[in-house]
Amino acid sequence: MRVLVTGGAGFIGRHVVEALVAGGHEVRVLDALLPHVHPAGSPPEFPDGVEFRHGDLRDESTVVSALHGVDAVCHQAAMVGRGKEIRDAARYVTCNDLATARLVTAMTELGLGKLVLGSSVVIYGDSRYDCPVHGRVRPGRRPKEALDAGRFEVTCPECGLTVVDSPVEEDDPLDPPRNVYAVTKLAQEHLAGAWARETGGQAVALRYHNVYGPEMPPGSPYSGVTAVFRTAVERGTAARVFEDGKPCRDFIHVRDIATANVAALTAANTGFRAFNVATGDPRSIAEVAAALAAAAGTPPPVITGEYRIGDVRHIVASPRRIKAELGWQPSTGFGEGMAEFARAPMRAPIPV
């Protein structure tokens, strides 16, 4: 299969390219090499046989040209992270949603029928929560007064009892997006779904959880605390862990993200289908900081009690669907992955 990988020069995209080549596929990469992601202005080294094209998805002629002769599209290009919130809205919308609209339009015109979209866990907001009295509830954001007092756990909106979190599944209700990035990732999924329904195409949305691994840029906004803690390791300083260190996430190695993309591209699905790409082995942020520090021999993390307004307490998801339907399994365990990541080479820092 000949596959176009958009954003293939990026952290995740590059690993996807390597996995596709290892699987015997032909790969063409399209990447704009935007300076806030690629400060050097040049692409990384790719495996032999990979065709690289420098171009922007927001340009119609560039997209059409890049699509000629390919069988499927693996869409990784996106502006990531929380950024500067609403002040970055125009850049997020054009880089993520306009670019995706250009892509599906051109795919329709050329008769291409297979799209895999790199989506995100951010579209869920929080995990699922259950109250011991009221059952499944949907709490609002944690109030500042509670956070100031060090009461970090989520409580029932009906009775105030602490609720119990559980993994989200793909058909659970999605949370109203909490920032511009989340808005654009949800819109990307809607665009992919509309394209699949209107054209009869096959679209897969892979909802990535907290991705980490070699060649991540220090301070990368993509993986939140993982990149922050790894940056502390790089500096030889103690990581500062917010709240009480107990917020939970699912930390997944980038090589497992890459193999999930290969599985999605080669699956015979129909219409639109979303999959959580997660390990199913959630960990607290304190565990991540401690594992990285221990592996690197740097000072242990410090639990600060600080917080950020708008941060979710827990967000973990079930990978049962992708395991059952695509036959995918994560191959890198938490201990092994963090030990490697603590000493893995990093990419050039992203300018602030």
Side-chain angles (χ1 to χ4, degrees):
M1 182 188 303
R2 173 173 282 186
V3 182
L4 173 66
V5 180
T6 71
F11 167 51
I12 292 176
R14 183 177 174 186
H15 284 86
V16 170
V17 168
E18 292 174 354
L20 285 168
V21 171
H25 301 284
E26 296 180 59
V27 178
R28 175 183 295 158
V29 170
L30 176 66
D31 200 298
L33 299 179
L34 298 177
H36 65 276
V37 180
H38 303 277
S42 57
E45 287 188 21
F46 292 112
D48 290 344
V50 172
E51 177 190 354
F52 175 76
R53 295 193 182 188
H54 182 197
D56 197 314
L57 275 171
R58 293 169 290 185
D59 178 73
E60 182 178 358
S61 61
T62 296
V63 178
V64 172
S65 175
L67 288 172
H68 273 290
V70 304
D71 304 304
V73 178
C74 186
H75 184 28
Q76 307 298 319
M79 184 173 172
V80 301
R82 289 178 62 171
K84 297 176 182 176
E85 303 299 337
I86 201 65
R87 288 176 291 173
D88 276 337
R91 284 206 300 164
Y92 275 104
V93 170
T94 56
C95 287
N96 297 357
D97 299 337
L98 174 61
T100 302
R102 295 274 193 223
L103 180 63
V104 296
T105 299
M107 289 180 67
T108 303
E109 293 172 350
L110 295 173
L112 295 176
K114 184 75 173 183
L115 172 66
V116 173
L117 168 69
S119 187
S120 173
V121 64
V122 298
I123 67 173
Y124 290 116
D126 279 281
S127 286
R128 298 192 299 196
Y129 291 108
D130 290 286
C131 170
V133 175
H134 296 96
R136 182 63 46 81
V137 293
R138 301 199 71 188
R141 298 191 184 190
R142 295 175 293 169
K144 185 176 185 301
E145 313 83 71
L147 297 172
D148 285 339
R151 299 194 303 272
F152 299 119
E153 288 295 353
V154 181
T155 57
C156 175
E158 301 293 332
C159 65
L161 289 175
T162 298
V163 294
V164 178
D165 69 289
S166 60
V168 293
E169 297 185 350
E170 291 86 351
D171 293 330
D172 283 338
L174 301 179
D175 192 63
R178 299 184 178 215
N179 54 58
V180 172
Y181 173 61
V183 169
T184 63
K185 296 308 289 185
L186 183 56
Q188 280 187 310
E189 285 205 13
H190 286 318
L191 285 164
W195 169 80
R197 286 188 295 273
E198 293 186 23
T199 66
Q202 302 172 2
V204 172
L206 298 178
R207 294 172 179 171
Y208 303 155
H209 284 249
N210 287 62
V211 188
Y212 71 94
E215 303 299 327
M216 175 188 284
S220 166
Y222 190 84
S223 297
V225 294
T226 321
V228 172
F229 297 159
R230 178 59 177 80
T231 301
V233 164
E234 190 82 3
R235 295 171 179 165
T237 59
R240 296 177 61 81
V241 181
F242 280 14
E243 299 188 17
D244 54 2
K246 296 179 181 178
C248 284
R249 306 287 188 268
D250 194 305
F251 299 92
I252 182 164
H253 199 282
V254 68
R255 286 194 297 267
D256 289 327
I257 293 288
T259 59
N261 275 273
V262 175
L265 281 163
T266 54
N269 67 292
T270 58
F272 174 82
R273 195 71 165 155
F275 296 96
N276 290 322
V277 188
T279 67
D281 180 27
R283 301 291 179 132
S284 72
I285 61 172
E287 286 181 89
V288 173
L292 289 172
T298 54
V302 176
I303 309 296
T304 68
E306 298 171 273
Y307 65 85
R308 294 195 311 176
I309 288 288
D311 277 357
V312 299
R313 178 64 172 175
H314 307 297
I315 176 59
V316 299
S318 169
R320 282 184 295 185
R321 177 184 286 181
I322 191 171
K323 290 180 178 181
E325 295 186 16
L326 300 188
W328 172 87
Q329 291 281 347
S331 62
T332 304
F334 178 80
E336 172 194 356
M338 289 296 163
E340 176 201 27
F341 184 48
R343 300 182 180 279
M346 307 293 282
R347 295 182 67 179
I350 293 175
V352 178

